[in-house]
Amino acid sequence: MLYMILGEDAPDSLPVRRATRAAHLAYLQPLIDGKRLFAAGPRPRVDAPDPGDAGFHGSLIIAEFPSLADAQAWAADDPYVHAGVFSRTTVQPYLKVLP
């Protein structure tokens, strides 16, 4: 089943996000390798591909996991969570309908 993981950035976390990005991307790699990653990316605070110092609202990941508990455990171990980039993480089932 697919699950949506919505991370919400803590205030003033952009420097930590930048410093932790490589670890976060490495954490996603097993999902990519296992063809379990449907979509992933940041949510910019401004309408631009590179928000610069405006930063991000957070990130969205949609990936396949065996269960909600597995998705929650994976999300809790994300380097962005450990570093304090995300102040809140929501994990919910996701059903792809279109296209």
Side-chain angles (χ1 to χ4, degrees), residues 32-62:
I32 295 167
D33 294 343
K35 299 184 184 338
R36 295 173 40 212
L37 185 64
F38 180 74
R43 300 178 300 116
R45 288 195 182 276
V46 296
D47 188 15
D50 180 358
D53 290 338
F56 301 92
H57 290 289
S59 296
L60 171 67
I61 298 166
I62 301 173

Side-chain angles (χ1 to χ4, degrees), residues 16 20 23-24 27 73-87 89:
V16 179
T20 312
H24 171 71
Y27 189 63
W74 185 91
D77 208 26
D78 187 320
Y80 277 176
V81 171
H82 288 291
V85 174
F86 293 158
S87 62
T89 305

Side-chain angles (χ1 to χ4, degrees), residues 1-6 27 36 63-78 81-82 89-93:
M1 174 129 192
L2 292 174
Y3 294 89
M4 174 207 77
I5 301 167
L6 184 68
Y27 189 63
R36 295 173 40 212
E64 183 180 352
F65 292 92
S67 69
L68 177 59
D70 289 320
Q72 290 169 328
W74 185 91
D77 208 26
D78 187 320
V81 171
H82 288 291
T89 305
T90 303
V91 181
Q92 298 173 329

